[in-house]
Amino acid sequence: MIKTFRDRTYTVDLGSDVNPRDGMVLELRDAQDAMVAEVYFDDPTGDFTVTTGSTGVPLEVIEWLIAEAKTQLPPK
């Protein structure tokens, strides 16, 4: 999925992680394909966490990413 906010283009990738983590992740990548944020769902605990990279990401982009994670990651 490609999303543009204020002339910045991001891609979003859905993935799973089984070692060392056990869950699913929605990754936000910038135009240079660097991961700038992720929302991770941990299968064993049922917890969601948000991690951001070293670059600033506009709040509206993080809010959008979280909303997407709520619809694309478990639980359903």
Side-chain angles (χ1 to χ4, degrees), residues 12 17 21-22 25 30 32 34 43-44 48 50 52 57 66:
V12 177
D17 196 348
R21 304 186 298 182
D22 183 12
V25 64
D30 65 14
Q32 291 75 39
D43 281 334
F48 284 90
V50 177
T52 59
V57 181
I66 290 169

Side-chain angles (χ1 to χ4, degrees), residues 6-73:
R6 297 187 202 161
D7 299 328
R8 291 186 190 175
T9 301
Y10 299 93
T11 58
V12 177
D13 296 319
L14 176 65
S16 63
D17 196 348
V18 294
N19 189 14
R21 304 186 298 182
D22 183 12
M24 292 186 68
V25 64
L26 199 61
E27 295 179 340
L28 181 71
R29 296 184 172 276
D30 65 14
Q32 291 75 39
D33 200 35
M35 190 180 75
V36 295
E38 74 170 15
V39 178
Y40 179 76
F41 174 77
D42 187 85
D43 281 334
T45 65
D47 292 337
F48 284 90
T49 57
V50 177
T51 305
T52 59
S54 60
T55 61
V57 181
L59 179 61
E60 68 182 326
V61 176
I62 297 299
E63 290 172 333
W64 174 82
L65 181 65
I66 290 169
E68 285 296 308
K70 288 179 179 179
T71 64
Q72 294 190 37
L73 299 178

